[in-house]
Amino acid sequence: MTLKTNDPYSPSARDPYDSAIDSVGRKLQPVPYRNGAGSDVLGPRNYARERQAPDMVRPPATDSGTMSNMKWSFADSHTRIEDGGWARQTTIRELPTSKELAGVNMRLEEGAIRELHWHKEAEWAYVLEGKVRVTALDTEGGNYIGDVEKGDLWYFPAGHPHSLQGIGPGGCEFLLIFDDGNFSEDSTFLLSDWVAHTPQSVLAKNFRLHPSIFDHVPSSERYIFEGSVPGPIDKENPIGVKKSRHRFTHKMLAQEPLKAPGGQVRITDTSNFPISKTVAAAHVTVEPHGIREMHWHPNADEWSFFIRGRARVTVFASSNTARTFDYMPGDVGIVPKSMGHYVENIGDEELEFLEIFKAPKFEDFSLEQWLAATPKRNVAEHLFQGHEKAGRKFVEELELKKMPVKPAPKRASSVP
C-alpha cells in the first residue's frame, strides 16, 4: 500500500492496512490522524515518549475496548544505588498486570557482591553483560560455585541461600525474575541483616565464640558492596564440603537454536534445565520487519523483556477487545495467559527479547498451525464465506509446520 504522503501522520495520509511505523527510526512525531479521522494536539506534549509509543498516539483501527496496561519500562523504575552497583525492579506495584512474575535489573562492578541471601520466591536470571560468580547451597548440604557470562542463566529454588559477585573487567549486569508478581527486592533475607538483629549472646552460642567478636559485624544490611575479586573456583571451594548434585546454571545462548525463515528461538525449561521448575523461557530474535507469529500461551502469562530493537505487539483479549503496544530496549511487556498476540519487528535492526513464564514447560499454540490442521472447508467458511476465491487462496497458503518467526514479506499477495 503506497501512502499519499511521505508523512504517515498527516491528515491526508491513507493506510487502510494499519502498517507499523517506526517513529523512532524514521525520526517522526506521531499525531492522532488516521485515514482522515482525528486531529492534531494543541496542549502540552511529551514528544520523546510519544515517539516511543506511536500506537498509543495513533492506534490501529483494529484496536478496540478497554484493556489494562501491559507495558512498563525499567527507565521508569526507582533505582537503588549502592557501593559497587545498583538495582531497580518491575513488580505488580509498577505494572499491575505483572501478577505471576516480577523482575529486577541489577548491576555489579568487578568485585562487587550481592550479599549472601535467600528469598521466599524462586530466582531465575539472565546475564545481559559481563561475568558473574554465583554460589549456592542445596537442601542436602551440597555447595555450588559457578561462573556465568552473557546469555547464561541461573536458577535458585525458593529458600535456597546464594550470593552473586561481578567478576572480570567491567563487572556485569543481569535480569532477575521471581515467580511472584508481589515480590520486592527490599524484602530479601540478608545475612548481615539477620546477624545485626540477633543478640550477640545468641550469636556467641551459635558460633561457639566470645560475644565481643561480634562487635565488628555490620549494624545494618549490606545488600550490594565492594569486595575483593575472587580467584579461580578450584581455589575458592571450601575444603571438605561436598559438591551439589544439582546444576544451578545453564548456557542458554549456547543452545542450538530453532531456526526459522525470520529469526531464531531458543527454549529453556525443565527439559534441558531440570532445576528450573517454576520458570520457563524463550530467547527470540526477529529479523528486520519480520514477526513472531500470531500465537498464544495456554499455561502461563508471558513476561517479556526487550533487549535490542523496536517492537509492536497487539494483545487480543476476546470480547471485542484488543490493544497495541510498542516496546524499546529495557521495556517489559505482559500478555496474560491464552490471550492472542504477535511481536512485530518494526525497525531496521534485529529484534531480541525474552519470553518468560511461570511454568515448568514452554507451551504455545500457533494460529497458522491450528488453521492448517483444521479442514480447509471449515476454515474458509469461517473467514471467507461468500468470497470463495479469497478463501481458497488463504487455505492453500497455510503451513502445517510451525514457523515461530516469520520474515518480512517480499511482496504483498492479493486476490484480483
Side-chain angles (χ1 to χ4, degrees):
M1 180 68 183
T2 303
L3 302 178
K4 294 184 178 180
T5 173
N6 290 328
D7 182 0
Y9 297 114
S10 70
S12 60
R14 298 292 184 271
D15 178 12
Y17 304 135
D18 288 318
S19 303
I21 299 172
D22 179 11
S23 54
V24 172
R26 294 174 59 182
K27 297 180 172 60
L28 296 172
Q29 189 62 47
V31 183
Y33 285 117
R34 185 179 61 222
N35 296 327
S39 188
D40 57 358
V41 180
L42 300 179
R45 301 176 67 178
N46 186 327
Y47 291 94
R49 187 69 94 198
E50 290 177 1
R51 283 193 294 272
Q52 292 181 15
D55 288 294
M56 290 291 185
V57 180
R58 202 280 301 277
T62 48
D63 277 13
S64 177
T66 300
M67 182 182 292
S68 299
N69 181 44
M70 302 290 177
K71 175 185 175 182
W72 182 264
S73 175
F74 271 108
D76 294 322
S77 296
H78 175 264
T79 302
R80 176 174 177 172
I81 299 175
E82 302 284 335
D83 288 337
W86 51 258
R88 52 189 181 178
Q89 61 184 1
T90 298
T91 71
I92 199 169
R93 288 167 291 279
E94 289 79 21
L95 181 58
T97 49
S98 184
K99 298 176 181 178
E100 295 190 345
L101 298 172
V104 174
N105 181 205
M106 186 172 289
R107 172 85 165 91
L108 298 177
E109 290 284 353
E110 182 179 10
I113 298 172
R114 172 68 172 95
E115 74 161 294
L116 290 156
H117 65 283
W118 73 94
H119 314 276
K120 292 182 290 184
E121 304 82 3
E123 174 180 311
W124 181 98
Y126 180 88
V127 182
L128 297 166
E129 295 289 345
K131 295 183 178 181
V132 189
R133 168 72 54 85
V134 302
T135 73
L137 184 73
D138 65 29
T139 56
E140 300 160 346
N143 88 315
Y144 183 90
I145 303 178
D147 291 342
V148 289
E149 57 188 5
K150 183 175 181 177
D152 292 350
L153 313 177
W154 68 75
Y155 180 90
F156 302 125
H160 283 50
H162 56 278
S163 71
L164 312 169
Q165 186 169 18
I167 58 175
C172 58
E173 185 174 337
F174 43 85
L175 175 72
L176 301 170
I177 298 293
F178 298 90
D179 59 1
D180 184 347
N182 287 289
F183 170 83
S184 173
E185 182 66 8
D186 297 327
S187 62
T188 302
F189 295 96
L190 300 169
L191 170 63
S192 57
D193 194 23
W194 191 10
V195 170
H197 291 89
T198 302
Q200 288 181 223
S201 60
V202 174
L203 293 171
K205 289 180 181 180
N206 191 77
F207 294 105
R208 301 167 306 283
L209 292 167
H210 192 276
S212 62
I213 289 289
F214 300 99
D215 292 342
H216 308 287
V217 299
S219 59
S220 61
E221 67 180 37
R222 305 202 71 186
Y223 188 68
I224 294 173
F225 62 95
E226 294 180 347
S228 57
V229 178
I233 291 176
D234 58 354
K235 302 291 186 183
E236 294 274 326
N237 243 325
I239 297 173
V241 178
K242 68 177 182 179
K243 292 185 178 180
S244 175
R245 62 184 181 89
H246 302 288
R247 177 168 55 92
F248 290 95
T249 60
H250 177 78
K251 292 189 170 295
M252 189 182 206
L253 283 191
Q255 292 178 209
E256 184 65 27
L258 170 61
K259 297 179 180 178
Q264 298 184 347
V265 179
R266 293 172 172 85
I267 295 171
T268 302
D269 57 18
T270 50
S271 65
N272 52 7
F273 191 24
I275 199 169
S276 186
K277 290 182 170 55
T278 64
V279 179
H283 176 276
V284 184
T285 59
V286 183
E287 294 175 359
H289 308 290
I291 188 172
R292 168 74 169 96
E293 69 168 345
M294 296 172 73
H295 66 285
W296 71 95
H297 303 279
N299 61 335
D301 295 355
E302 177 178 327
W303 199 100
S304 299
F305 179 73
F306 292 86
I307 299 172
R308 285 187 294 132
R310 292 180 289 278
R312 177 168 81 155
V313 178
T314 296
V315 179
F316 167 60
S318 78
S319 304
N320 193 37
T321 302
R323 186 173 174 186
T324 302
F325 301 86
D326 302 281
Y327 297 93
M328 301 274 291
D331 287 351
V332 173
I334 302 293
V335 181
K337 179 170 58 177
S338 292
M339 289 191 183
H341 59 288
Y342 63 85
V343 183
E344 183 180 11
N345 183 349
I346 65 174
D348 294 324
E349 64 175 312
E350 187 176 68
L351 174 67
E352 179 185 3
F353 63 98
L354 294 167
E355 301 177 4
I356 309 170
F357 308 88
K358 184 179 179 178
K361 296 285 289 184
F362 175 93
E363 295 180 358
D364 71 349
F365 280 106
S366 159
L367 174 60
E368 182 173 13
Q369 187 181 45
W370 175 38
L371 297 182
T374 301
K376 293 182 178 180
R377 172 199 51 78
N378 191 346
V379 174
E381 290 183 2
H382 267 77
L383 298 177
F384 298 98
Q385 196 165 40
H387 301 275
E388 183 179 348
K389 189 173 183 179
R392 184 169 60 251
K393 183 173 181 62
F394 179 79
V395 297
E396 286 174 354
E397 291 293 326
L398 291 173
E399 290 281 353
L400 184 59
K401 182 179 179 181
K402 185 183 289 189
M403 193 187 306
V405 186
K406 301 179 179 182
K410 294 182 180 179
R411 59 182 178 84
S413 59
S414 61
V415 180

